[in-house]
Amino acid sequence: MHSTHLLLEEPIRMASVLEPSKPSFFPAMTKIVGTLGPRSRSVEIISACLKAGMSVARFDFSWGGVDYHQETLEYLKLAIKSTKKLCAVMLDTVGPELQVANKSENAISLEENAFVVLTPDQGQEASSKLLPINFTGLAKAVKPGDTIFIGQYLFTGSETTSVWLEVSELNGDDVICMIKNTATLTGSLFTLHASQIHIDLPTLSDADKDVISKWGVRNKIDFLSLSYTRHAEDVRQAREFLSNLGDLKQTQIFAKVENIEGLTHFDEILQEADGIILSRGNLGIDLPPEKVFLFQKAALYKCNMAGKPAVITRVVDSMTDNLRPTRAEATDVANAVLDGSDAILLGAETLRGLYPVETISTVGKICAEAEKVFNQDLYFKKTVKYVGEPMSHLESIASSAVRAAIKVKASVIIVFTSSGRTARLIAKYRPTMPVLSVVIPRLKTNQLRWSFTGAFEARQSLIVRGLFPMLADPRHPAESTSATNESVLKVALDHGKESGVIKSHDRVVVCQKVGDASVVKIIELED
Protein backbone atom coordinates (compact mmCIF):
# COMPACT_ATOMS: atom_id res chain seq x y z
CA MET A 1 0.00 0.00 0.00
CA HIS A 2 2.73 2.42 0.97
CA SER A 3 5.04 1.86 -1.95
CA THR A 4 2.53 3.81 -4.02
CA HIS A 5 3.02 6.90 -1.83
CA LEU A 6 4.28 9.60 -4.14
CA LEU A 7 5.80 12.84 -3.00
CA LEU A 8 4.71 16.11 -4.51
CA GLU A 9 8.37 16.88 -5.19
CA GLU A 10 8.58 13.84 -7.48
CA PRO A 11 7.15 14.04 -10.97
CA ILE A 12 3.63 12.71 -10.48
CA ARG A 13 2.69 10.23 -13.12
CA MET A 14 -0.46 11.23 -15.00
CA ALA A 15 -1.53 7.59 -14.76
CA SER A 16 -1.89 7.98 -11.00
CA VAL A 17 -4.20 10.96 -11.57
CA LEU A 18 -6.35 8.90 -13.92
CA GLU A 19 -6.54 5.85 -11.61
CA PRO A 20 -9.80 5.66 -9.68
CA SER A 21 -9.49 6.26 -5.90
CA LYS A 22 -9.56 3.07 -3.85
CA PRO A 23 -11.92 2.96 -0.87
CA SER A 24 -10.49 1.74 2.46
CA PHE A 25 -11.79 1.08 5.95
CA PHE A 26 -10.48 4.43 7.23
CA PRO A 27 -11.86 6.92 4.70
CA ALA A 28 -8.94 9.29 5.47
CA MET A 29 -6.28 9.94 8.10
CA THR A 30 -7.51 13.54 8.35
CA LYS A 31 -10.51 13.80 10.64
CA ILE A 32 -13.85 15.45 9.86
CA VAL A 33 -15.84 17.49 12.37
CA GLY A 34 -19.49 17.80 11.34
CA THR A 35 -21.91 20.36 12.81
CA LEU A 36 -25.27 18.77 13.59
CA GLY A 37 -28.44 20.77 13.03
CA PRO A 38 -31.72 21.05 11.11
CA ARG A 39 -30.50 19.05 8.08
CA SER A 40 -28.43 16.50 10.00
CA ARG A 41 -30.16 15.45 13.18
CA SER A 42 -32.16 12.32 12.32
CA VAL A 43 -30.64 8.97 13.37
CA GLU A 44 -30.58 7.96 9.71
CA ILE A 45 -28.62 11.02 8.51
CA ILE A 46 -26.23 10.98 11.50
CA SER A 47 -25.55 7.25 10.91
CA ALA A 48 -24.76 8.01 7.26
CA CYS A 49 -22.45 10.89 8.37
CA LEU A 50 -20.56 8.53 10.72
CA LYS A 51 -20.17 5.94 7.96
CA ALA A 52 -19.00 8.66 5.55
CA GLY A 53 -16.19 9.61 7.94
CA MET A 54 -17.39 12.09 10.59
CA SER A 55 -15.57 11.41 13.87
CA VAL A 56 -16.48 14.52 15.90
CA ALA A 57 -19.98 16.01 16.19
CA ARG A 58 -20.07 19.75 16.84
CA PHE A 59 -22.99 21.39 18.62
CA ASP A 60 -23.13 25.11 17.87
CA PHE A 61 -24.87 27.03 20.65
CA SER A 62 -25.03 30.35 18.77
CA TRP A 63 -28.53 29.13 17.81
CA GLY A 64 -30.89 26.48 19.17
CA GLY A 65 -31.55 25.83 22.86
CA VAL A 66 -30.37 23.18 25.30
CA ASP A 67 -33.40 20.92 24.68
CA TYR A 68 -32.97 21.05 20.90
CA HIS A 69 -29.28 20.04 21.12
CA GLN A 70 -30.02 17.39 23.75
CA GLU A 71 -32.50 15.74 21.41
CA THR A 72 -29.93 15.81 18.58
CA LEU A 73 -27.34 14.26 20.91
CA GLU A 74 -29.71 11.41 21.84
CA TYR A 75 -30.08 10.69 18.08
CA LEU A 76 -26.27 10.73 17.79
CA LYS A 77 -26.00 8.11 20.58
CA LEU A 78 -28.46 5.86 18.75
CA ALA A 79 -26.50 6.31 15.51
CA ILE A 80 -23.21 5.42 17.29
CA LYS A 81 -24.84 2.26 18.65
CA SER A 82 -26.20 1.16 15.29
CA THR A 83 -23.04 1.91 13.25
CA LYS A 84 -20.56 0.86 16.00
CA LYS A 85 -18.46 3.93 15.13
CA LEU A 86 -17.01 6.08 17.91
CA CYS A 87 -17.79 9.81 17.80
CA ALA A 88 -16.65 12.65 20.08
CA VAL A 89 -18.80 15.60 21.14
CA MET A 90 -17.73 19.25 20.77
CA LEU A 91 -19.62 22.14 22.36
CA ASP A 92 -19.10 25.41 20.48
CA THR A 93 -19.63 28.52 22.62
CA VAL A 94 -21.19 31.75 21.36
CA GLY A 95 -18.57 34.00 22.97
CA PRO A 96 -18.56 37.76 22.34
CA GLU A 97 -20.42 37.37 19.04
CA LEU A 98 -22.35 40.42 17.90
CA GLN A 99 -25.72 39.63 16.37
CA VAL A 100 -28.55 41.38 14.54
CA ALA A 101 -32.00 40.01 15.41
CA ASN A 102 -34.63 39.91 12.67
CA LYS A 103 -37.74 38.89 14.62
CA SER A 104 -40.16 39.15 11.69
CA GLU A 105 -37.82 36.96 9.55
CA ASN A 106 -38.74 39.07 6.49
CA ALA A 107 -35.94 39.36 3.91
CA ILE A 108 -34.07 42.66 4.27
CA SER A 109 -32.85 44.29 1.06
CA LEU A 110 -29.95 46.72 1.34
CA GLU A 111 -28.96 48.99 -1.56
CA GLU A 112 -25.43 50.13 -2.41
CA ASN A 113 -24.66 53.76 -1.34
CA ALA A 114 -27.78 53.96 0.90
CA PHE A 115 -27.48 54.37 4.69
CA VAL A 116 -28.51 52.03 7.51
CA VAL A 117 -28.54 52.64 11.28
CA LEU A 118 -27.19 50.03 13.74
CA THR A 119 -28.96 50.54 17.07
CA PRO A 120 -28.68 48.73 20.44
CA ASP A 121 -32.45 49.26 20.89
CA GLN A 122 -33.56 45.63 20.44
CA GLY A 123 -37.23 46.55 20.74
CA GLN A 124 -37.06 47.96 17.19
CA GLU A 125 -38.03 45.94 14.10
CA ALA A 126 -35.21 45.13 11.64
CA SER A 127 -35.60 46.85 8.24
CA SER A 128 -33.48 48.11 5.35
CA LYS A 129 -33.11 51.43 7.26
CA LEU A 130 -32.44 50.09 10.76
CA LEU A 131 -30.81 46.97 12.26
CA PRO A 132 -31.09 46.25 16.03
CA ILE A 133 -27.91 44.71 17.56
CA ASN A 134 -27.21 42.91 20.87
CA PHE A 135 -24.36 45.20 22.05
CA THR A 136 -24.62 48.68 23.55
CA GLY A 137 -20.94 49.58 23.21
CA LEU A 138 -20.55 49.53 19.41
CA ALA A 139 -20.67 53.34 19.08
CA LYS A 140 -17.80 53.61 21.60
CA ALA A 141 -15.72 50.91 19.86
CA VAL A 142 -15.85 52.18 16.25
CA LYS A 143 -15.01 55.44 14.46
CA PRO A 144 -15.96 56.85 11.04
CA GLY A 145 -14.20 54.95 8.23
CA ASP A 146 -14.22 51.59 10.09
CA THR A 147 -15.51 48.46 8.34
CA ILE A 148 -18.42 46.31 9.55
CA PHE A 149 -19.74 43.12 7.93
CA ILE A 150 -23.18 41.61 8.53
CA GLY A 151 -24.47 38.29 7.19
CA GLN A 152 -25.97 34.94 8.04
CA TYR A 153 -23.39 32.29 9.04
CA LEU A 154 -20.79 34.86 8.19
CA PHE A 155 -19.72 35.68 4.72
CA THR A 156 -19.45 32.80 2.39
CA GLY A 157 -17.62 35.16 0.11
CA SER A 158 -20.87 35.57 -1.80
CA GLU A 159 -21.45 39.30 -1.60
CA THR A 160 -25.17 39.05 -2.20
CA THR A 161 -25.92 37.31 1.11
CA SER A 162 -23.73 39.49 3.35
CA VAL A 163 -23.31 43.22 3.48
CA TRP A 164 -20.22 45.36 3.82
CA LEU A 165 -20.74 48.62 5.71
CA GLU A 166 -18.53 51.65 6.30
CA VAL A 167 -19.10 53.67 9.48
CA SER A 168 -20.20 57.14 8.39
CA GLU A 169 -21.15 58.86 11.69
CA LEU A 170 -22.00 58.19 15.33
CA ASN A 171 -25.20 59.44 16.96
CA GLY A 172 -25.36 58.61 20.68
CA ASP A 173 -25.44 54.79 20.88
CA ASP A 174 -26.41 54.52 17.20
CA VAL A 175 -23.91 53.87 14.41
CA ILE A 176 -24.86 55.23 10.96
CA CYS A 177 -23.26 53.30 8.11
CA MET A 178 -22.99 53.59 4.37
CA ILE A 179 -23.79 50.37 2.46
CA LYS A 180 -20.96 49.28 0.12
CA ASN A 181 -22.74 46.47 -1.76
CA THR A 182 -26.31 45.54 -2.67
CA ALA A 183 -27.37 42.46 -0.68
CA THR A 184 -30.38 40.63 0.73
CA LEU A 185 -30.21 39.32 4.30
CA THR A 186 -32.52 36.38 5.03
CA GLY A 187 -33.21 34.48 8.24
CA SER A 188 -33.81 35.41 11.87
CA LEU A 189 -30.23 36.05 13.01
CA PHE A 190 -27.23 37.65 11.33
CA THR A 191 -23.68 37.83 12.67
CA LEU A 192 -22.02 41.25 12.85
CA HIS A 193 -18.25 41.51 12.61
CA ALA A 194 -16.44 44.82 13.17
CA SER A 195 -13.13 44.41 11.35
CA GLN A 196 -10.02 44.80 13.55
CA ILE A 197 -12.03 46.32 16.42
CA HIS A 198 -11.74 45.23 20.08
CA ILE A 199 -15.15 44.24 21.45
CA ASP A 200 -15.28 44.65 25.21
CA LEU A 201 -17.21 41.50 26.11
CA PRO A 202 -16.03 38.38 28.03
CA THR A 203 -14.86 35.42 25.92
CA LEU A 204 -16.91 33.02 28.06
CA SER A 205 -20.26 34.76 28.52
CA ASP A 206 -22.76 34.01 31.32
CA ALA A 207 -24.97 32.29 28.73
CA ASP A 208 -22.02 30.08 27.71
CA LYS A 209 -21.29 29.18 31.34
CA ASP A 210 -24.92 28.27 31.84
CA VAL A 211 -24.94 25.95 28.78
CA ILE A 212 -21.65 24.30 29.84
CA SER A 213 -22.82 23.67 33.43
CA LYS A 214 -26.15 22.24 32.27
CA TRP A 215 -25.67 20.60 28.87
CA GLY A 216 -21.88 20.15 28.95
CA VAL A 217 -21.74 18.45 32.36
CA ARG A 218 -24.75 16.26 31.68
CA ASN A 219 -23.17 14.95 28.49
CA LYS A 220 -19.51 14.89 29.60
CA ILE A 221 -18.37 16.78 26.50
CA ASP A 222 -14.99 15.82 25.01
CA PHE A 223 -14.11 19.21 23.53
CA LEU A 224 -14.99 22.82 24.25
CA SER A 225 -14.54 25.07 21.23
CA LEU A 226 -13.80 28.49 22.75
CA SER A 227 -15.08 31.05 20.25
CA TYR A 228 -13.20 34.33 19.76
CA THR A 229 -10.18 33.36 21.88
CA ARG A 230 -8.13 36.55 22.03
CA HIS A 231 -5.61 35.91 24.86
CA ALA A 232 -4.04 32.94 26.65
CA GLU A 233 -5.89 34.18 29.75
CA ASP A 234 -9.21 33.33 28.01
CA VAL A 235 -8.13 29.67 27.86
CA ARG A 236 -6.90 29.70 31.48
CA GLN A 237 -10.21 31.12 32.72
CA ALA A 238 -12.21 28.56 30.71
CA ARG A 239 -10.04 25.75 32.10
CA GLU A 240 -10.55 26.95 35.65
CA PHE A 241 -14.30 27.08 35.03
CA LEU A 242 -14.30 23.52 33.63
CA SER A 243 -12.15 22.09 36.42
CA ASN A 244 -14.67 23.34 38.99
CA LEU A 245 -17.35 21.30 37.22
CA GLY A 246 -15.97 17.92 38.28
CA ASP A 247 -16.84 15.74 35.33
CA LEU A 248 -15.35 18.20 32.83
CA LYS A 249 -11.81 18.23 34.26
CA GLN A 250 -10.71 16.13 31.28
CA THR A 251 -12.54 18.14 28.60
CA GLN A 252 -10.05 19.53 26.09
CA ILE A 253 -10.19 23.21 25.17
CA PHE A 254 -9.76 24.12 21.51
CA ALA A 255 -9.09 27.83 21.10
CA LYS A 256 -10.95 29.25 18.12
CA VAL A 257 -8.77 31.97 16.65
CA GLU A 258 -10.93 34.26 14.56
CA ASN A 259 -9.62 37.83 14.68
CA ILE A 260 -6.49 39.99 14.68
CA GLU A 261 -6.35 39.99 18.48
CA GLY A 262 -6.18 36.20 18.63
CA LEU A 263 -3.62 36.23 15.86
CA THR A 264 -1.39 38.68 17.74
CA HIS A 265 -1.33 36.42 20.81
CA PHE A 266 -1.26 33.15 18.85
CA ASP A 267 1.91 31.72 20.44
CA GLU A 268 0.71 32.18 24.03
CA ILE A 269 -2.76 30.84 23.15
CA LEU A 270 -1.21 27.73 21.53
CA GLN A 271 0.79 27.08 24.70
CA GLU A 272 -2.35 27.10 26.88
CA ALA A 273 -4.88 25.37 24.60
CA ASP A 274 -5.19 21.65 23.83
CA GLY A 275 -5.76 22.40 20.15
CA ILE A 276 -6.53 25.26 17.75
CA ILE A 277 -9.44 25.92 15.39
CA LEU A 278 -8.52 28.36 12.62
CA SER A 279 -11.83 30.09 11.98
CA ARG A 280 -11.19 31.28 8.45
CA GLY A 281 -14.67 32.81 8.06
CA ASN A 282 -14.03 35.65 10.48
CA LEU A 283 -10.26 35.73 9.92
CA GLY A 284 -10.89 36.24 6.23
CA ILE A 285 -12.61 39.49 7.15
CA ASP A 286 -10.09 40.72 9.69
CA LEU A 287 -7.15 39.96 7.40
CA PRO A 288 -6.57 41.23 3.87
CA PRO A 289 -7.42 38.32 1.47
CA GLU A 290 -3.81 37.99 0.34
CA LYS A 291 -2.66 37.27 3.92
CA VAL A 292 -5.10 34.42 4.73
CA PHE A 293 -2.99 31.62 3.21
CA LEU A 294 0.10 32.91 5.00
CA PHE A 295 -1.61 32.80 8.37
CA GLN A 296 -2.90 29.29 7.66
CA LYS A 297 0.54 27.94 6.79
CA ALA A 298 2.31 29.65 9.71
CA ALA A 299 -0.34 28.64 12.28
CA LEU A 300 -0.48 25.02 11.10
CA TYR A 301 3.31 24.74 11.24
CA LYS A 302 3.31 25.99 14.84
CA CYS A 303 0.53 23.58 15.86
CA ASN A 304 2.32 20.65 14.19
CA MET A 305 5.62 21.38 15.93
CA ALA A 306 3.85 21.74 19.28
CA GLY A 307 2.09 18.40 18.63
CA LYS A 308 -1.33 19.97 19.12
CA PRO A 309 -4.29 19.27 16.79
CA ALA A 310 -5.15 22.01 14.30
CA VAL A 311 -8.60 22.25 12.73
CA ILE A 312 -9.44 24.25 9.58
CA THR A 313 -12.90 25.68 8.86
CA ARG A 314 -14.73 27.02 5.80
CA VAL A 315 -13.42 24.80 3.04
CA VAL A 316 -16.43 23.77 0.91
CA ASP A 317 -19.00 26.56 1.43
CA SER A 318 -20.55 26.02 -1.98
CA MET A 319 -21.55 22.46 -0.98
CA THR A 320 -24.20 23.99 1.30
CA ASP A 321 -26.35 24.20 -1.83
CA ASN A 322 -24.46 22.08 -4.38
CA LEU A 323 -23.54 18.44 -4.73
CA ARG A 324 -19.97 19.20 -5.87
CA PRO A 325 -17.37 21.61 -4.50
CA THR A 326 -15.82 24.24 -6.75
CA ARG A 327 -12.37 23.45 -8.17
CA ALA A 328 -10.82 26.05 -5.86
CA GLU A 329 -12.48 24.45 -2.83
CA ALA A 330 -11.29 20.95 -3.77
CA THR A 331 -7.75 22.33 -4.05
CA ASP A 332 -8.19 24.19 -0.76
CA VAL A 333 -9.11 20.99 1.13
CA ALA A 334 -6.04 19.22 -0.29
CA ASN A 335 -3.80 22.16 0.61
CA ALA A 336 -5.11 22.14 4.19
CA VAL A 337 -3.97 18.50 4.42
CA LEU A 338 -0.59 19.21 2.80
CA ASP A 339 -0.11 22.19 5.16
CA GLY A 340 -0.54 19.78 8.10
CA SER A 341 -4.07 20.17 9.44
CA ASP A 342 -5.46 17.38 11.64
CA ALA A 343 -9.13 17.91 10.91
CA ILE A 344 -11.55 19.75 8.65
CA LEU A 345 -14.55 21.37 10.32
CA LEU A 346 -17.80 21.58 8.37
CA GLY A 347 -20.28 24.20 9.56
CA ALA A 348 -23.21 25.35 7.44
CA GLU A 349 -22.43 22.54 4.96
CA THR A 350 -23.72 19.87 7.36
CA LEU A 351 -25.83 22.05 9.67
CA ARG A 352 -28.27 23.45 7.12
CA GLY A 353 -26.74 22.27 3.84
CA LEU A 354 -28.70 20.12 1.42
CA TYR A 355 -26.02 17.42 1.17
CA PRO A 356 -24.45 16.75 4.62
CA VAL A 357 -23.46 13.12 3.92
CA GLU A 358 -22.10 13.78 0.42
CA THR A 359 -20.07 16.73 1.74
CA ILE A 360 -18.37 14.58 4.40
CA SER A 361 -17.71 11.83 1.86
CA THR A 362 -16.29 14.25 -0.76
CA VAL A 363 -14.03 16.03 1.74
CA GLY A 364 -12.79 12.63 3.01
CA LYS A 365 -11.91 11.48 -0.51
CA ILE A 366 -9.97 14.68 -1.24
CA CYS A 367 -8.10 14.34 2.08
CA ALA A 368 -7.21 10.72 1.33
CA GLU A 369 -5.75 11.67 -2.08
CA ALA A 370 -3.74 14.54 -0.58
CA GLU A 371 -2.36 12.24 2.14
CA LYS A 372 -0.89 9.98 -0.55
CA VAL A 373 1.41 12.79 -1.69
CA PHE A 374 2.09 14.34 1.74
CA ASN A 375 5.88 14.62 2.05
CA GLN A 376 6.28 12.64 5.27
CA ASP A 377 10.06 12.41 4.94
CA LEU A 378 10.54 16.17 4.86
CA TYR A 379 7.96 16.66 7.62
CA PHE A 380 9.68 14.05 9.83
CA LYS A 381 13.08 15.71 9.45
CA LYS A 382 11.59 19.13 10.23
CA THR A 383 9.88 17.84 13.38
CA VAL A 384 12.96 16.02 14.69
CA LYS A 385 15.07 19.14 14.07
CA TYR A 386 12.50 21.33 15.85
CA VAL A 387 12.40 19.01 18.91
CA GLY A 388 16.19 19.12 19.14
CA GLU A 389 18.46 17.06 21.38
CA PRO A 390 18.49 15.54 23.90
CA MET A 391 14.97 14.26 23.18
CA SER A 392 12.68 13.29 26.02
CA HIS A 393 12.20 9.55 26.60
CA LEU A 394 8.65 9.53 25.13
CA GLU A 395 9.54 11.71 22.14
CA SER A 396 12.41 9.42 21.25
CA ILE A 397 10.20 6.30 21.47
CA ALA A 398 7.45 7.95 19.35
CA SER A 399 9.82 9.11 16.60
CA SER A 400 11.59 5.72 16.56
CA ALA A 401 8.27 3.87 16.20
CA VAL A 402 7.32 6.03 13.20
CA ARG A 403 10.74 5.74 11.57
CA ALA A 404 10.73 1.94 12.02
CA ALA A 405 7.19 1.62 10.62
CA ILE A 406 8.13 3.59 7.51
CA LYS A 407 11.41 1.69 6.97
CA VAL A 408 9.72 -1.74 7.18
CA LYS A 409 6.61 -0.52 5.31
CA ALA A 410 4.36 -1.55 8.21
CA SER A 411 0.65 -1.51 7.48
CA VAL A 412 -0.23 -0.14 10.92
CA ILE A 413 1.31 1.08 14.20
CA ILE A 414 -0.32 -0.27 17.37
CA VAL A 415 0.25 1.71 20.54
CA PHE A 416 -0.87 0.83 24.09
CA THR A 417 -1.69 3.94 26.10
CA SER A 418 -3.71 4.93 29.13
CA SER A 419 -3.49 8.74 28.93
CA GLY A 420 -3.36 8.90 25.12
CA ARG A 421 -0.13 10.94 25.27
CA THR A 422 2.15 8.39 23.56
CA ALA A 423 -0.39 7.87 20.78
CA ARG A 424 -0.63 11.64 20.18
CA LEU A 425 3.17 11.91 20.08
CA ILE A 426 3.37 9.15 17.47
CA ALA A 427 0.68 10.92 15.42
CA LYS A 428 2.69 14.15 15.69
CA TYR A 429 5.32 12.58 13.40
CA ARG A 430 2.59 11.99 10.78
CA PRO A 431 3.21 8.32 9.89
CA THR A 432 1.88 7.28 6.48
CA MET A 433 -0.03 4.36 8.04
CA PRO A 434 -2.91 4.44 10.56
CA VAL A 435 -2.07 4.39 14.27
CA LEU A 436 -4.32 2.06 16.26
CA SER A 437 -4.39 3.55 19.73
CA VAL A 438 -5.38 0.85 22.23
CA VAL A 439 -6.58 2.77 25.26
CA ILE A 440 -6.21 0.70 28.42
CA PRO A 441 -8.69 1.89 31.06
CA ARG A 442 -7.35 2.73 34.51
CA LEU A 443 -9.31 2.11 37.68
CA LYS A 444 -9.58 5.08 40.03
CA THR A 445 -11.60 6.00 43.09
CA ASN A 446 -12.75 9.16 44.84
CA GLN A 447 -13.48 7.36 48.18
CA LEU A 448 -17.17 7.10 47.23
CA ARG A 449 -17.09 5.09 44.04
CA TRP A 450 -14.75 3.31 41.68
CA SER A 451 -14.63 4.35 38.05
CA PHE A 452 -12.70 3.51 34.89
CA THR A 453 -10.94 6.18 32.88
CA GLY A 454 -10.35 5.64 29.18
CA ALA A 455 -13.48 6.66 27.29
CA PHE A 456 -12.47 10.36 27.27
CA GLU A 457 -8.93 9.52 26.11
CA ALA A 458 -10.24 7.29 23.31
CA ARG A 459 -12.75 9.84 22.01
CA GLN A 460 -10.32 12.75 22.25
CA SER A 461 -7.98 11.05 19.78
CA LEU A 462 -10.79 11.21 17.19
CA ILE A 463 -9.67 14.73 16.22
CA VAL A 464 -5.99 13.81 15.73
CA ARG A 465 -4.84 12.96 12.21
CA GLY A 466 -4.05 9.28 11.75
CA LEU A 467 -5.17 8.14 15.23
CA PHE A 468 -7.87 5.46 15.44
CA PRO A 469 -8.77 4.50 19.00
CA MET A 470 -10.14 1.30 20.45
CA LEU A 471 -10.95 0.68 24.13
CA ALA A 472 -9.38 -2.43 25.64
CA ASP A 473 -11.00 -4.62 28.23
CA PRO A 474 -10.40 -2.95 31.67
CA ARG A 475 -9.24 -6.31 33.06
CA HIS A 476 -5.99 -5.85 31.11
CA PRO A 477 -3.81 -3.27 32.92
CA ALA A 478 -1.52 -1.19 30.68
CA GLU A 479 1.77 -1.91 32.42
CA SER A 480 1.58 -5.57 33.22
CA THR A 481 3.01 -8.95 32.39
CA SER A 482 3.81 -9.81 28.82
CA ALA A 483 1.02 -12.41 28.89
CA THR A 484 -1.82 -9.93 29.34
CA ASN A 485 -0.15 -7.57 26.86
CA GLU A 486 -0.08 -10.40 24.36
CA SER A 487 -3.81 -10.99 24.76
CA VAL A 488 -4.59 -7.26 24.31
CA LEU A 489 -2.31 -7.23 21.26
CA LYS A 490 -4.24 -10.15 19.81
CA VAL A 491 -7.51 -8.22 20.25
CA ALA A 492 -5.94 -5.20 18.49
CA LEU A 493 -4.59 -7.32 15.64
CA ASP A 494 -7.96 -9.03 15.20
CA HIS A 495 -9.62 -5.60 15.08
CA GLY A 496 -7.11 -4.52 12.42
CA LYS A 497 -7.76 -7.67 10.37
CA GLU A 498 -11.54 -7.29 10.59
CA SER A 499 -11.31 -3.71 9.43
CA GLY A 500 -9.10 -4.71 6.51
CA VAL A 501 -6.06 -2.62 7.54
CA ILE A 502 -3.96 -5.68 8.40
CA LYS A 503 -3.53 -8.67 6.07
CA SER A 504 -1.46 -11.84 6.38
CA HIS A 505 2.31 -11.33 5.86
CA ASP A 506 1.96 -7.65 6.81
CA ARG A 507 4.39 -6.07 9.23
CA VAL A 508 3.07 -4.27 12.28
CA VAL A 509 4.97 -1.96 14.63
CA VAL A 510 3.92 -2.18 18.29
CA CYS A 511 4.75 0.43 20.92
CA GLN A 512 4.11 -0.60 24.54
CA LYS A 513 5.31 -0.33 28.11
CA VAL A 514 6.86 -3.36 29.74
CA GLY A 515 7.62 -2.64 33.39
CA ASP A 516 9.43 0.71 33.47
CA ALA A 517 10.68 0.49 29.90
CA SER A 518 8.97 1.51 26.68
CA VAL A 519 9.47 -0.95 23.84
CA VAL A 520 9.06 -0.67 20.07
CA LYS A 521 8.87 -4.03 18.30
CA ILE A 522 8.18 -5.20 14.77
CA ILE A 523 5.90 -8.18 14.19
CA GLU A 524 5.59 -10.04 10.91
CA LEU A 525 2.22 -11.72 10.62
CA GLU A 526 1.79 -15.22 9.37
CA ASP A 527 -1.26 -16.56 7.57
Side-chain angles (χ1 to χ4, degrees), residues 320-349:
T320 307
D321 303 308
N322 299 300
L323 202 43
R324 283 169 70 93
T326 65
R327 283 83 175 145
E329 286 170 338
T331 307
D332 190 25
V333 173
N335 278 327
V337 172
L338 297 174
D339 287 348
S341 61
D342 284 80
I344 304 282
L345 189 151
L346 302 171
E349 302 97 325

Side-chain angles (χ1 to χ4, degrees), residues 70-127:
Q70 188 60 45
E71 199 175 291
T72 308
L73 184 57
E74 296 308 326
Y75 295 146
L76 170 67
K77 287 177 186 168
L78 292 171
I80 291 171
K81 237 185 203 138
S82 73
T83 58
K84 295 188 171 54
K85 289 195 180 288
L86 268 184
C87 185
V89 170
M90 177 183 277
L91 185 161
D92 201 318
T93 64
V94 181
E97 183 169 273
L98 305 188
Q99 294 171 333
V100 176
N102 176 22
K103 292 178 195 145
S104 69
E105 295 200 25
N106 293 333
I108 297 169
S109 298
L110 299 161
E111 295 294 327
E112 190 176 341
N113 296 331
F115 288 87
V116 66
V117 177
L118 305 179
T119 178
D121 179 0
Q122 291 189 289
Q124 302 265 26
E125 196 63 57
S127 70

Side-chain angles (χ1 to χ4, degrees), residues 164-235:
W164 170 13
L165 308 173
E166 189 179 285
V167 177
S168 154
E169 59 176 297
L170 309 169
N171 179 13
D173 284 343
D174 291 353
V175 178
I176 299 156
C177 302
M178 184 184 179
I179 300 165
K180 304 284 279 184
N181 67 299
T182 298
T184 303
L185 303 180
T186 55
S188 58
L189 206 63
F190 318 121
T191 311
L192 180 149
H193 187 93
S195 186
Q196 303 199 15
I197 305 293
H198 171 74
I199 298 300
D200 196 14
L201 284 171
T203 302
L204 207 55
S205 67
D206 290 342
D208 289 330
K209 287 179 176 173
D210 190 47
V211 161
I212 295 167
S213 10
K214 284 182 188 156
W215 194 87
V217 171
R218 177 181 171 186
N219 299 300
K220 295 193 172 132
I221 53 166
D222 303 297
F223 303 108
L224 179 76
S225 157
L226 192 60
S227 295
Y228 296 94
T229 304
R230 295 165 284 183
H231 301 269
E233 188 53 37
D234 296 342
V235 183

Side-chain angles (χ1 to χ4, degrees), residues 435-471:
V435 180
L436 273 188
S437 156
V438 184
V439 181
I440 316 270
R442 280 182 301 189
L443 191 59
K444 60 174 195 172
T445 177
N446 62 358
Q447 268 79 52
L448 293 173
R449 63 194 175 110
W450 290 88
S451 62
F452 283 113
T453 67
F456 259 115
E457 291 80 356
R459 289 193 304 266
Q460 283 169 344
S461 59
L462 290 167
I463 204 163
V464 181
R465 175 155 150 189
L467 266 195
F468 298 92
M470 57 175 282
L471 260 175

Side-chain angles (χ1 to χ4, degrees), residues 503-517:
K503 295 179 290 301
S504 48
H505 305 297
D506 273 3
R507 288 170 179 170
V508 172
V509 167
V510 180
C511 184
Q512 66 188 118
K513 253 190 152 177
V514 176
D516 292 335

